[in-house]
């Protein structure tokens, strides 16, 4: 079978391809090859700018043509790299040979070709390409989607800021709150964790075969290669160079970034479950789309499938993120190869995250507020004003107020407005305090 959306093994590239397609520009095999070529070309240009003695006469007006090798890189170019890899059985070496072929096409660059990949090991390319792809995918695709979710929630928080709602703690009726405030909790949580994600440094390993610039130093001991590497990684790639490494990245900061993503996902799981519950409690109805089916057997059903889809995909994403964060920083001695195959999966949790974010947004945008049900639950639960009454009685130095309200409310007898009024009328307090207490209802006892 030819690979397409129907034959793909992963739902990221199959069923949900329409939701994850933007990530192909960052995490596909084609994208990885393009990022590798980008690093190699920028490194060669940096050596010319240094310049190394043998590159001092390089015509820098050709730099734009060199950059076109990655800027205009297409799937045909990627296929050529894979063809070369079929011979070399080494993916990064295939990139080096491809670039040398492109030098030949430009012409007049034969004497400079051996400075492509000069002094580097494969991980100098991989451990810059992958962090760069992650950084750009986050900035250009993932973070904007999280920010869109935050904006949607903030709009609802404002729209529902005056809507009273019965709170539930331990699944039991609790002091009333406001729907907008409860949504604002998620705005706050996501905003704070997004700040932490953005603050995570995206770092790269760039230091030769075992991190010491051995080859660079032995060939050109007069240069400060650490300073060169710091400047190259920072100014050309926009990353931060790890100062002490083995052959590979330490991956500690990448692990921190994955943990930050996992925290954001966990908050959205919490949100998904809350809105699922609100729908179950009939605080929301859902917009009905003509032709859609909620159940293959029960015609009446309109299921909260978007929140369920999101929760499931976030669970998969977090499992992979947790594995990546725990595995990547661990490597035998100066390196083993386990990180190589693992790194190829960094787009997987982001793919599931993108599916989830779009599902959560879809679910939120289908909501129809059912204030009648919210008000009915408040009217049916007068016991929740007990906290307010006993607190004011404490203020008035009334004897044993908590115990008095406990005796009133912790029975199987239903609390009604009349029950509360009768209790207040029998209190030995001033008429002003009684009036204050009588003004409290489940609808207005919602705090600040």
């Amino acid at each position: 079978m030819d690979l397409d959306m129907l034959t793909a093994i992963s739902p990221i590239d199959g069923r949900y391809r329409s939701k994850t397609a933007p990530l192909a520009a960052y995490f596909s095999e084609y994208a990885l090859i393009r990022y590798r070529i980008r690093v190699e070309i920028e490194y060669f240009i940096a050596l010319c700018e240094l310049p190394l003695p043998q590159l001092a006469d390089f015509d820098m007006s050709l730099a734009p043509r060199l950059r076109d090798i990655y800027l205009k890189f297409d799937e045909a170019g990627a296929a050529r790299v894979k063809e070369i890899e079929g011979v070399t059985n080494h993916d990064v070496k295939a990139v080096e040979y491809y670039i040398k072929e492109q030098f030949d096409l430009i012409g007049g660059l034969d004497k400079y070709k051996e400075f492509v990949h000069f002094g580097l090991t494969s991980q100098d390319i991989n451990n810059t390409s992958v962090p760069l792809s992650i950084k750009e995918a986050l900035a250009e695709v993932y973070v904007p989607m999280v920010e869109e979710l935050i904006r949607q929630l903030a709009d609802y928080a404002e729209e529902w800021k005056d809507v009273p709602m019965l709170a539930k703690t331990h699944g039991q009726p609790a002091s009333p709150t406001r729907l907008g405030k409860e949504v604002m909790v998620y705005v706050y949580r996501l905003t704070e964790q997004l700040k932490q994600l953005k603050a995570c440094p995206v770092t790269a390993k760039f230091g030769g075969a075992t991190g010491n610039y051995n080859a660079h130093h032995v060939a050109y001991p007069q240069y400060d290669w650490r300073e060169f590497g710091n400047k190259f990684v920072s100014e050309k790639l926009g990353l931060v160079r790890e100062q002490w490494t083995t052959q590979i990245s330490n991956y500690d900061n990448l692990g921190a970034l994955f943990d930050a993503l996992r925290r954001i996902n966990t908050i959205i799981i919490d949100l998904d479950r809350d809105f699922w519950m609100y729908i179950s409690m009939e605080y929301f109805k859902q917009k009905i789309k003509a032709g859609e089916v909620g159940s293959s057997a029960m015609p009446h059903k309109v299921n909260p499938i978007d929140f369920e889809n999101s929760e499931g995909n976030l669970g998969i994403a977090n499992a992979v993120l947790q594995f990546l964060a725990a595995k990547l920083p661990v490597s035998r001695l100066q390196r083993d190869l386990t990180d190589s195959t693992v790194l190829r999966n960094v787009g997987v949790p982001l793919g599931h995250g993108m599916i989830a974010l779009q599902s959560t947004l879809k679910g939120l945008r289908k909501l129809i507020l059912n204030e009648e049900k919210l008000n009915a639950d408040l009217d049916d639960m007068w016991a929740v004003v007990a906290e307010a009454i006993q607190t004011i009685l404490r203020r008035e130095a009334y004897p044993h107020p908590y115990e008095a309200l406990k005796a009133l409310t912790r029975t199987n007898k239903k609390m009604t407005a009349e029950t509360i009024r009768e209790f207040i009328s029998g209190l030995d307090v001033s008429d002003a305090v009684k009036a204050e207490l009588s003004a409290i209802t489940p609808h207005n006892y919602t705090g600040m």
Side-chain angles (χ1 to χ4, degrees):
M1 291 186 291
D2 293 330
L3 178 62
D4 60 24
M5 291 175 63
L6 290 174
T7 60
I9 294 173
S10 167
I12 291 176
D13 289 318
R15 180 178 180 85
Y16 302 118
R17 179 68 179 184
S18 63
K19 295 183 176 182
T20 62
L23 293 177
Y26 306 91
F27 300 118
S28 62
E29 183 74 359
Y30 157 79
L32 178 58
I33 295 170
R34 191 190 70 234
Y35 273 107
R36 284 167 166 165
I37 294 172
R38 175 176 165 185
V39 173
E40 292 276 18
I41 293 295
E42 291 298 340
Y43 171 64
F44 177 83
I45 292 173
L47 291 178
C48 294
E49 292 172 341
L50 188 57
L52 291 182
Q54 288 80 2
L55 298 174
D57 62 345
F58 180 81
D59 182 1
M60 292 302 295
S61 68
L62 292 174
R65 293 191 65 184
L66 296 183
R67 289 191 169 102
D68 279 346
I69 296 174
Y70 69 82
L71 290 173
K72 296 182 178 180
F73 188 67
D74 56 19
E75 291 185 38
R80 175 55 186 157
V81 174
K82 296 303 289 184
E83 183 181 341
I84 298 169
E85 185 184 339
V87 177
T88 64
N89 196 32
H90 195 288
D91 48 5
V92 176
K93 201 65 178 177
V95 165
E96 177 188 341
Y97 288 165
Y98 173 81
I99 292 172
K100 289 178 177 178
E101 286 184 351
Q102 296 302 303
F103 273 36
D104 288 339
L105 293 176
I106 293 172
L109 301 180
D110 191 65
K111 70 175 183 176
Y112 307 115
K113 288 197 302 184
E114 291 311 312
F115 288 92
V116 175
H117 199 70
F118 177 78
L120 300 181
T121 188
S122 300
Q123 288 308 101
D124 294 313
I125 304 305
N126 290 330
N127 287 164
T128 47
S129 298
V130 173
L132 187 55
S133 69
I134 293 172
K135 180 182 179 181
E136 294 185 346
L138 289 176
E140 297 166 13
V141 180
Y142 183 83
V143 168
M145 185 65 69
V146 176
E147 290 173 336
E148 183 180 351
L149 174 59
I150 292 172
R151 286 193 300 272
Q152 179 64 73
L153 292 169
D155 288 345
Y156 277 152
E158 176 63 23
E159 180 181 345
W160 300 330
K161 65 181 180 181
D162 296 321
V163 177
M165 181 180 76
L166 184 66
K168 294 286 183 71
T169 60
H170 308 280
Q172 305 302 307
S175 297
T177 184
R178 282 160 290 115
L179 179 58
K181 175 262 171 178
E182 297 307 315
V183 176
M184 196 65 197
V185 169
Y186 285 108
V187 174
Y188 171 73
R189 292 175 68 188
L190 287 170
T191 299
E192 290 300 303
Q193 293 306 315
L194 190 58
K195 288 178 186 176
Q196 293 195 31
L197 173 65
K198 291 179 179 179
C200 287
V202 184
T203 61
K205 179 267 176 180
F206 195 80
T210 53
N212 311 318
Y213 286 109
N214 299 44
H216 294 78
H217 182 69
V218 75
Y220 299 101
Q222 67 271 35
Y223 293 103
D224 185 342
W225 289 106
R226 285 194 185 92
E227 179 58 29
F228 170 86
N230 291 340
K231 184 177 180 181
F232 169 69
V233 171
S234 174
E235 296 182 5
K236 298 289 188 179
L237 305 180
L239 305 173
V240 179
R241 180 177 167 270
E242 297 169 16
Q243 297 301 303
W244 297 90
T245 70
T246 58
Q247 186 177 93
I248 63 174
S249 168
N250 300 315
Y251 294 119
D252 301 323
N253 289 317
L254 197 55
L257 187 147
F258 291 148
D259 285 338
L261 285 169
R262 194 154 54 93
R263 288 195 299 274
I264 290 172
N265 290 348
T266 299
I267 293 168
I268 301 173
I269 289 173
D270 199 18
L271 181 152
D272 288 334
R273 291 180 180 178
D274 274 3
F275 276 97
W276 189 98
M277 290 291 291
Y278 290 142
I279 293 169
S280 176
M281 293 155 60
E282 299 184 0
Y283 286 0
F284 293 102
K285 297 181 182 295
Q286 297 177 91
K287 295 174 184 176
I288 299 172
K289 186 175 181 180
E292 284 191 350
V293 175
S295 167
S296 62
M298 295 172 280
H300 70 284
K301 296 196 75 177
V302 183
N303 297 326
I305 57 173
D306 300 302
F307 296 110
E308 294 169 344
N309 177 280
S310 175
E311 181 182 342
N313 276 285
L314 290 169
I316 294 174
N318 277 3
V320 177
L321 288 168
Q322 184 173 23
F323 168 73
L324 291 170
K327 187 274 156 295
L328 284 172
V330 180
S331 182
R332 296 171 183 85
L333 303 179
Q334 282 64 57
R335 92 136 325 168
D336 61 40
L337 201 63
T338 53
D339 66 312
S340 179
T341 189
V342 167
L343 277 179
R344 290 180 177 275
N345 292 278
V346 295
V348 172
L350 286 174
H352 285 287
M354 286 293 293
I355 296 166
L357 283 164
Q358 291 170 79
S359 292
T360 296
L361 279 165
K362 184 180 178 182
L364 289 172
R365 289 165 178 167
K366 286 165 63 174
L367 297 176
I368 302 172
L369 182 62
N370 185 9
E371 287 194 72
E372 183 179 346
K373 176 60 175 173
L374 275 85
N375 289 331
D377 277 5
L378 287 167
D379 290 334
D380 196 46
M381 193 52 61
W382 272 82
V384 295
V385 302
E387 179 192 40
I389 295 171
Q390 66 98 6
T391 303
I392 290 175
L393 292 178
R394 284 173 184 262
R395 184 194 71 194
E396 297 297 315
Y398 192 88
H400 310 297
Y402 177 87
E403 287 71 21
L405 271 298
K406 177 182 175 184
L408 174 70
T409 57
R410 284 176 66 93
T411 67
N412 290 325
K413 180 182 176 182
K414 183 176 178 60
M415 293 293 105
T416 64
E418 183 60 31
T419 307
I420 297 299
R421 277 196 294 269
E422 289 178 1
F423 175 80
I424 293 171
S425 66
L427 293 171
D428 185 16
V429 294
S430 68
D431 289 344
V433 172
K434 287 183 179 180
E436 183 182 4
L437 294 174
S438 298
I440 301 169
T441 74
H443 292 267
N444 64 23
Y445 180 52
T446 56
M448 295 177 62

